[in-house]
Amino acid sequence: SNPLEDVTNLYIALSYCFSLALASTPLHFAARGGSTECIKELLAWGADRLQRNSQGYDMIRSTLRFN
């Protein structure tokens, strides 16, 4: 098993659980957690880096706000 893939899948699974309430994406959660490897992987899979969450933050603003 690939450790990066395992971590990315975990971020996706956990993020999905919380995203329904917070209207955030897995990319927002990876950014908040400071996981550059997960961010790269999610972007490679087509995540929209400009999508905003319910607070109006895109991935970059989430990163700046929470790190």
Side-chain angles (χ1 to χ4, degrees):
S1 141
N2 178 344
L4 178 57
E5 186 176 315
D6 292 343
V7 170
T8 301
N9 287 335
L10 178 61
Y11 261 102
I12 291 169
L14 291 174
S15 297
Y16 180 75
C17 293
F18 294 106
S19 67
L20 298 175
L22 301 174
S24 291
T25 66
L27 191 57
H28 285 96
F29 285 99
R32 287 177 188 174
S35 178
T36 56
E37 291 300 319
C38 285
I39 291 169
K40 289 177 188 177
E41 189 70 20
L42 290 167
L43 290 171
W45 280 88
D48 181 1
R49 65 179 180 83
L50 299 177
Q51 185 172 351
R52 296 182 183 274
N53 65 11
S54 61
Q55 297 171 316
Y57 298 129
D58 61 14
M59 178 206 49
I60 294 174
R61 286 197 59 194
S62 289
T63 303
L64 295 173
R65 178 155 191 243
F66 292 95
N67 291 303

